[in-house]
Amino acid sequence: MTTSHTTPADAEARRAVAPVICYPVSTLPAPDLDLYARARDGAVKVGEWIAAPREAAHFRVAAGQFFRITSIEGPQVGDLNLWNAADPSERFYSGKTRALHGSHLSTGDRMWSSFPHLRPMATITADTLDWYGVDEFGGRVHDVIGTRCDPHTHHLLSGEDYHHCCHSNLTRAYADATGLPVRDAAREVHDVLNVFMCTGFTRDTGQYFMKASPVRPGDYLEFFAEIDLLGVLSACPGGDCGSEHSSDTAPCHPLLIEAFAPAAGALDGWVSPPRNGYSGTHGR
Ligand SMILES: [Zn+2]
């Protein structure tokens, strides 16, 4: 039974306290976007992969290369996981990325890695949907708030089994990339960057919402790989996520992944970021 407590006399004064930003980013090491742009100008394509509808693709990109995720054929949302290619204990940390850059990412924002590494794994260098901004519902594009659609939550809510949620697609692709059995691979899959997904929180109940993505074929999100990366991208069964996910109902489309290598010397002055400098003693 819920209890409704008496509103204190100074309730409005307490609510009126101004917020402070938890993590001011003024001291964050800033990416040299001009250097990246110059390096990208002379870069040549070195790889291409397709994430088929309701499936995932795995890909490897070397530190200092770029990778681009492009919508082809129709509006489609992608769920992205990243690992350090040489040490899978270092993986994308969606929660800390959200705390540093906000609920949705765009050009200049970075995808940060898990503790104790906590360094940029990738930097967003181009976003053709950056014009979208924030809509009247509070929706924005490319979130780090959703976790990924998964068969466990789906079973919890419906009692049914569905095997093409992003979590399962990412699991199978990671298993293919590493040779791990799927039960082990599933434990390595982590909270994602929701590429092209348009999401927010409802103002009245604070619930996570999605709406049809504004992405159209030809739109892309491009990244600079700060370390050697293993990536896995799922073409979400929700398609443009305008109706439902975790089913075969929504129209679904493939996503294109491409890698580009800059010319020799184009990145002079850039170094792959070191692991986080904290001593790791935790006071003992
Ligand atoms: Zn999904």
Side-chain angles (χ1 to χ4, degrees), residues 58-105:
H58 57 89
F59 58 97
R60 290 177 191 271
V61 187
Q65 294 183 345
F66 296 84
F67 65 100
R68 174 185 286 196
I69 297 171
T70 303
S71 164
I72 51 174
E73 298 185 17
Q76 176 64 41
V77 162
D79 285 47
L80 178 65
N81 266 192
L82 294 179
W83 292 264
N84 176 340
D87 173 9
S89 75
E90 182 176 11
R91 66 190 63 158
F92 173 51
Y93 188 173
S94 168
K96 188 58 72 180
T97 298
R98 181 192 324 136
L100 288 169
H101 293 303
S103 56
H104 297 73
L105 305 186

Side-chain angles (χ1 to χ4, degrees), residues 161-227:
D161 278 6
Y162 179 70
H163 301 304
H164 288 270
C165 286
C166 289
H167 178 72
S168 297
N169 300 343
L170 294 166
T171 293
R172 291 192 308 277
Y174 187 73
D176 290 345
T178 60
L180 285 176
V182 287
R183 285 180 196 281
D184 296 335
R187 283 195 283 270
E188 308 303 318
V189 171
H190 45 274
D191 287 354
V192 300
L193 168 61
N194 272 315
V195 178
F196 305 137
M197 194 167 181
C198 188
T199 57
F201 293 105
T202 59
R203 292 212 177 87
D204 50 354
T205 61
Q207 285 174 293
Y208 183 45
F209 73 74
M210 60 184 194
K211 52 180 284 189
S213 171
V215 71
R216 296 295 179 268
D219 278 320
Y220 60 84
L221 192 62
E222 191 167 284
F223 307 80
F224 177 78
E226 300 280 355
I227 62 173

Side-chain angles (χ1 to χ4, degrees), residues 33 40 66-69 106-108 123-130 142 196 220-224:
L33 294 177
R40 180 64 181 86
F66 296 84
F67 65 100
R68 174 185 286 196
I69 297 171
S106 190
T107 305
T123 300
I124 297 177
T125 50
D127 173 13
T128 65
L129 291 172
D130 59 5
H142 314 304
F196 305 137
Y220 60 84
L221 192 62
E222 191 167 284
F223 307 80
F224 177 78

Side-chain angles (χ1 to χ4, degrees), residues 2-24:
T2 52
T3 308
S4 191
H5 297 280
T6 307
T7 303
D10 64 347
E12 279 313 310
R14 295 194 210 178
R15 290 190 185 108
V17 172
V20 293
I21 298 296
C22 293
Y23 294 102

Side-chain angles (χ1 to χ4, degrees), residues 79 148-149 165-167 194 234-238 241 245:
D79 285 47
R148 62 202 174 273
C149 60
C165 286
C166 289
H167 178 72
N194 272 315
S234 169
C236 182
C241 289
H245 53 76

